[in-house]
Amino acid sequence: MGQPVTTLGPPYTVIGCANPPPPANVGPCLICNWITASLRVKVMGMPVLLQDSQSICVPTGTPASVVFTQPRVKAM
């Protein structure tokens, strides 16, 4: 449908992390490393991130959340 996809690749910069800095909370998150992605669907050889993909943010160790995703893709 012409929509962009996000792939498992280099770390992603986090913008708009709502976690306040210590001692109030663990934030802010600076970088997000995705650790799981699609096993079968790839774009240009890179696994595609899915709604249930897991991540770890640095330096907090908290996970990032997928906020928006398309439910299906069609490959040709």
Side-chain angles (χ1 to χ4, degrees):
M1 305 287 279
Q3 297 294 314
V5 297
T6 305
T7 59
L8 179 75
Y12 289 90
T13 302
V14 176
I15 297 174
C17 181
N19 290 337
N25 205 333
V26 296
C29 301
L30 302 176
I31 296 173
C32 178
N33 294 301
W34 291 94
I35 53 176
T36 63
S38 172
L39 297 175
R40 297 183 294 178
V41 180
K42 296 181 181 184
V43 172
M44 299 188 70
M46 297 293 293
V48 174
L49 293 181
L50 304 172
Q51 190 169 9
D52 63 349
S53 292
Q54 302 293 311
S55 67
I56 297 176
C57 293
V58 177
T60 64
T62 57
S65 299
V66 176
V67 177
F68 176 76
T69 185
Q70 63 188 50
R72 289 182 65 122
V73 297
K74 183 177 180 181
M76 302 218 180

mmCIF file with all atom_site columns, all heavy atoms in Angstrom, residues 5 11 14 16 20 22 28 40 44 49 52 63:
data_model
loop_
_atom_site.group_PDB
_atom_site.id
_atom_site.type_symbol
_atom_site.label_atom_id
_atom_site.label_alt_id
_atom_site.label_comp_id
_atom_site.label_asym_id
_atom_site.label_entity_id
_atom_site.label_seq_id
_atom_site.pdbx_PDB_ins_code
_atom_site.Cartn_x
_atom_site.Cartn_y
_atom_site.Cartn_z
_atom_site.occupancy
_atom_site.B_iso_or_equiv
_atom_site.pdbx_formal_charge
_atom_site.auth_seq_id
_atom_site.auth_comp_id
_atom_site.auth_asym_id
_atom_site.auth_atom_id
_atom_site.pdbx_PDB_model_num
ATOM 1  N N   . VAL A 1 5  ? 8.132  1.104   6.199  1.00 0.00 ? 5  VAL A N   1
ATOM 2  C CA  . VAL A 1 5  ? 8.319  0.087   7.228  1.00 0.00 ? 5  VAL A CA  1
ATOM 3  C C   . VAL A 1 5  ? 9.572  0.433   8.016  1.00 0.00 ? 5  VAL A C   1
ATOM 4  O O   . VAL A 1 5  ? 10.426 1.183   7.558  1.00 0.00 ? 5  VAL A O   1
ATOM 5  C CB  . VAL A 1 5  ? 8.443  -1.334  6.630  1.00 0.00 ? 5  VAL A CB  1
ATOM 6  C CG1 . VAL A 1 5  ? 7.187  -1.738  5.909  1.00 0.00 ? 5  VAL A CG1 1
ATOM 7  C CG2 . VAL A 1 5  ? 9.642  -1.434  5.713  1.00 0.00 ? 5  VAL A CG2 1
ATOM 8  N N   . PRO A 1 11 ? 20.833 1.199   16.160 1.00 0.00 ? 11 PRO A N   1
ATOM 9  C CA  . PRO A 1 11 ? 20.010 1.790   17.232 1.00 0.00 ? 11 PRO A CA  1
ATOM 10 C C   . PRO A 1 11 ? 19.263 3.028   16.743 1.00 0.00 ? 11 PRO A C   1
ATOM 11 O O   . PRO A 1 11 ? 19.762 3.768   15.899 1.00 0.00 ? 11 PRO A O   1
ATOM 12 C CB  . PRO A 1 11 ? 21.035 2.177   18.302 1.00 0.00 ? 11 PRO A CB  1
ATOM 13 C CG  . PRO A 1 11 ? 22.215 1.327   18.024 1.00 0.00 ? 11 PRO A CG  1
ATOM 14 C CD  . PRO A 1 11 ? 22.227 1.101   16.542 1.00 0.00 ? 11 PRO A CD  1
ATOM 15 N N   . VAL A 1 14 ? 15.734 8.111   20.402 1.00 0.00 ? 14 VAL A N   1
ATOM 16 C CA  . VAL A 1 14 ? 14.413 8.312   21.008 1.00 0.00 ? 14 VAL A CA  1
ATOM 17 C C   . VAL A 1 14 ? 14.159 9.810   21.134 1.00 0.00 ? 14 VAL A C   1
ATOM 18 O O   . VAL A 1 14 ? 14.980 10.539  21.682 1.00 0.00 ? 14 VAL A O   1
ATOM 19 C CB  . VAL A 1 14 ? 14.326 7.645   22.391 1.00 0.00 ? 14 VAL A CB  1
ATOM 20 C CG1 . VAL A 1 14 ? 12.992 7.930   23.050 1.00 0.00 ? 14 VAL A CG1 1
ATOM 21 C CG2 . VAL A 1 14 ? 14.575 6.148   22.274 1.00 0.00 ? 14 VAL A CG2 1
ATOM 22 N N   . GLY A 1 16 ? 11.239 12.590  22.471 1.00 0.00 ? 16 GLY A N   1
ATOM 23 C CA  . GLY A 1 16 ? 10.004 12.766  23.240 1.00 0.00 ? 16 GLY A CA  1
ATOM 24 C C   . GLY A 1 16 ? 9.808  11.753  24.336 1.00 0.00 ? 16 GLY A C   1
ATOM 25 O O   . GLY A 1 16 ? 8.676  11.435  24.682 1.00 0.00 ? 16 GLY A O   1
ATOM 26 N N   . PRO A 1 20 ? 10.788 11.193  33.341 1.00 0.00 ? 20 PRO A N   1
ATOM 27 C CA  . PRO A 1 20 ? 11.628 12.228  33.944 1.00 0.00 ? 20 PRO A CA  1
ATOM 28 C C   . PRO A 1 20 ? 12.937 11.628  34.462 1.00 0.00 ? 20 PRO A C   1
ATOM 29 O O   . PRO A 1 20 ? 12.999 10.438  34.755 1.00 0.00 ? 20 PRO A O   1
ATOM 30 C CB  . PRO A 1 20 ? 10.769 12.784  35.080 1.00 0.00 ? 20 PRO A CB  1
ATOM 31 C CG  . PRO A 1 20 ? 9.764  11.746  35.364 1.00 0.00 ? 20 PRO A CG  1
ATOM 32 C CD  . PRO A 1 20 ? 9.582  10.936  34.112 1.00 0.00 ? 20 PRO A CD  1
ATOM 33 N N   . PRO A 1 22 ? 16.236 10.788  36.990 1.00 0.00 ? 22 PRO A N   1
ATOM 34 C CA  . PRO A 1 22 ? 16.315 10.443  38.410 1.00 0.00 ? 22 PRO A CA  1
ATOM 35 C C   . PRO A 1 22 ? 16.428 11.706  39.255 1.00 0.00 ? 22 PRO A C   1
ATOM 36 O O   . PRO A 1 22 ? 16.922 12.708  38.770 1.00 0.00 ? 22 PRO A O   1
ATOM 37 C CB  . PRO A 1 22 ? 17.601 9.611   38.511 1.00 0.00 ? 22 PRO A CB  1
ATOM 38 C CG  . PRO A 1 22 ? 17.833 9.108   37.122 1.00 0.00 ? 22 PRO A CG  1
ATOM 39 C CD  . PRO A 1 22 ? 17.281 10.155  36.203 1.00 0.00 ? 22 PRO A CD  1
ATOM 40 N N   . PRO A 1 28 ? 15.836 10.208  31.115 1.00 0.00 ? 28 PRO A N   1
ATOM 41 C CA  . PRO A 1 28 ? 15.157 9.999   29.834 1.00 0.00 ? 28 PRO A CA  1
ATOM 42 C C   . PRO A 1 28 ? 15.819 8.898   29.013 1.00 0.00 ? 28 PRO A C   1
ATOM 43 O O   . PRO A 1 28 ? 16.999 8.623   29.173 1.00 0.00 ? 28 PRO A O   1
ATOM 44 C CB  . PRO A 1 28 ? 15.312 11.351  29.138 1.00 0.00 ? 28 PRO A CB  1
ATOM 45 C CG  . PRO A 1 28 ? 16.627 11.843  29.626 1.00 0.00 ? 28 PRO A CG  1
ATOM 46 C CD  . PRO A 1 28 ? 16.724 11.367  31.056 1.00 0.00 ? 28 PRO A CD  1
ATOM 47 N N   . ARG A 1 40 ? 10.519 -14.015 9.015  1.00 0.00 ? 40 ARG A N   1
ATOM 48 C CA  . ARG A 1 40 ? 10.344 -14.323 7.597  1.00 0.00 ? 40 ARG A CA  1
ATOM 49 C C   . ARG A 1 40 ? 10.232 -13.110 6.693  1.00 0.00 ? 40 ARG A C   1
ATOM 50 O O   . ARG A 1 40 ? 10.627 -13.184 5.535  1.00 0.00 ? 40 ARG A O   1
ATOM 51 C CB  . ARG A 1 40 ? 9.106  -15.210 7.403  1.00 0.00 ? 40 ARG A CB  1
ATOM 52 C CG  . ARG A 1 40 ? 9.246  -16.559 8.082  1.00 0.00 ? 40 ARG A CG  1
ATOM 53 C CD  . ARG A 1 40 ? 8.064  -17.435 7.811  1.00 0.00 ? 40 ARG A CD  1
ATOM 54 N NE  . ARG A 1 40 ? 6.870  -16.859 8.428  1.00 0.00 ? 40 ARG A NE  1
ATOM 55 C CZ  . ARG A 1 40 ? 5.675  -17.363 8.345  1.00 0.00 ? 40 ARG A CZ  1
ATOM 56 N NH1 . ARG A 1 40 ? 5.483  -18.457 7.651  1.00 0.00 ? 40 ARG A NH1 1
ATOM 57 N NH2 . ARG A 1 40 ? 4.654  -16.794 8.927  1.00 0.00 ? 40 ARG A NH2 1
ATOM 58 N N   . MET A 1 44 ? 14.891 -5.328  1.969  1.00 0.00 ? 44 MET A N   1
ATOM 59 C CA  . MET A 1 44 ? 16.289 -5.134  1.605  1.00 0.00 ? 44 MET A CA  1
ATOM 60 C C   . MET A 1 44 ? 17.214 -5.945  2.517  1.00 0.00 ? 44 MET A C   1
ATOM 61 O O   . MET A 1 44 ? 18.268 -5.486  2.946  1.00 0.00 ? 44 MET A O   1
ATOM 62 C CB  . MET A 1 44 ? 16.650 -3.654  1.607  1.00 0.00 ? 44 MET A CB  1
ATOM 63 C CG  . MET A 1 44 ? 15.828 -2.867  0.595  1.00 0.00 ? 44 MET A CG  1
ATOM 64 S SD  . MET A 1 44 ? 16.332 -1.176  0.367  1.00 0.00 ? 44 MET A SD  1
ATOM 65 C CE  . MET A 1 44 ? 17.887 -1.389  -0.462 1.00 0.00 ? 44 MET A CE  1
ATOM 66 N N   . LEU A 1 49 ? 10.336 -4.771  11.749 1.00 0.00 ? 49 LEU A N   1
ATOM 67 C CA  . LEU A 1 49 ? 9.816  -4.708  13.115 1.00 0.00 ? 49 LEU A CA  1
ATOM 68 C C   . LEU A 1 49 ? 8.320  -4.957  13.091 1.00 0.00 ? 49 LEU A C   1
ATOM 69 O O   . LEU A 1 49 ? 7.612  -4.493  12.205 1.00 0.00 ? 49 LEU A O   1
ATOM 70 C CB  . LEU A 1 49 ? 10.101 -3.343  13.736 1.00 0.00 ? 49 LEU A CB  1
ATOM 71 C CG  . LEU A 1 49 ? 11.560 -3.020  14.002 1.00 0.00 ? 49 LEU A CG  1
ATOM 72 C CD1 . LEU A 1 49 ? 11.678 -1.648  14.643 1.00 0.00 ? 49 LEU A CD1 1
ATOM 73 C CD2 . LEU A 1 49 ? 12.230 -4.069  14.847 1.00 0.00 ? 49 LEU A CD2 1
ATOM 74 N N   . ASP A 1 52 ? 4.708  -6.716  18.030 1.00 0.00 ? 52 ASP A N   1
ATOM 75 C CA  . ASP A 1 52 ? 5.168  -7.377  19.252 1.00 0.00 ? 52 ASP A CA  1
ATOM 76 C C   . ASP A 1 52 ? 6.690  -7.452  19.357 1.00 0.00 ? 52 ASP A C   1
ATOM 77 O O   . ASP A 1 52 ? 7.220  -8.164  20.205 1.00 0.00 ? 52 ASP A O   1
ATOM 78 C CB  . ASP A 1 52 ? 4.558  -8.769  19.368 1.00 0.00 ? 52 ASP A CB  1
ATOM 79 C CG  . ASP A 1 52 ? 4.984  -9.708  18.251 1.00 0.00 ? 52 ASP A CG  1
ATOM 80 O OD1 . ASP A 1 52 ? 5.594  -9.243  17.265 1.00 0.00 ? 52 ASP A OD1 1
ATOM 81 O OD2 . ASP A 1 52 ? 4.707  -10.910 18.355 1.00 0.00 ? 52 ASP A OD2 1
ATOM 82 N N   . PRO A 1 63 ? 11.661 -0.870  28.023 1.00 0.00 ? 63 PRO A N   1
ATOM 83 C CA  . PRO A 1 63 ? 11.305 -1.169  26.636 1.00 0.00 ? 63 PRO A CA  1
ATOM 84 C C   . PRO A 1 63 ? 10.635 0.019   25.956 1.00 0.00 ? 63 PRO A C   1
ATOM 85 O O   . PRO A 1 63 ? 10.016 0.849   26.608 1.00 0.00 ? 63 PRO A O   1
ATOM 86 C CB  . PRO A 1 63 ? 10.312 -2.326  26.772 1.00 0.00 ? 63 PRO A CB  1
ATOM 87 C CG  . PRO A 1 63 ? 9.693  -2.128  28.113 1.00 0.00 ? 63 PRO A CG  1
ATOM 88 C CD  . PRO A 1 63 ? 10.766 -1.524  28.979 1.00 0.00 ? 63 PRO A CD  1
#
